[in-house]
Amino acid sequence: MLTPDHKCQKCQHEMEEGFIADVTYGAVVTSKWIEGEPEKSFWTGTKTKGKRHVEILTFRCTNCGYLESYAK
Ligand SMILES: [Zn+2]
């Protein structure tokens, strides 16, 4: 939790914490922020080796559905 009273920027309603899931090879993983531009790789789709990975935390407004993401 970043702040106990995370409010929506659009409607000031309360937001709930969660994450955006990626489904890969039948597994569910959290989306990650990766530094730099995406480089295409024949084997893995996009090259991510040697780059910084940061898990993304996403807050969802329970009223309007607005999403706010943090990569910390
Ligand atoms: Zn809202």
Side-chain angles (χ1 to χ4, degrees):
M1 273 294 202
L2 292 162
T3 53
D5 57 341
H6 207 79
K7 295 278 194 294
C8 177
Q9 286 179 19
K10 306 287 178 193
C11 70
Q12 308 306 312
H13 204 269
E14 234 162 72
M15 297 185 90
E16 59 183 2
E17 186 183 330
F19 64 90
I20 295 171
D22 277 339
V23 179
T24 169
Y25 303 109
V28 179
V29 296
T30 57
S31 284
K32 289 184 178 60
W33 175 90
I34 295 164
E35 71 175 348
E37 287 179 15
E39 293 172 60
K40 287 271 177 283
S41 159
F42 179 77
W43 301 105
T44 58
T46 306
K47 261 173 132 178
T48 57
K49 218 180 163 196
K51 296 190 175 190
R52 267 193 309 144
H53 293 208
V54 184
E55 288 211 346
I56 300 174
L57 185 68
T58 302
F59 287 84
R60 186 185 77 89
C61 176
T62 52
N63 183 51
C64 73
Y66 177 70
L67 296 175
E68 197 172 71
S69 297
Y70 294 86
K72 292 192 87 176

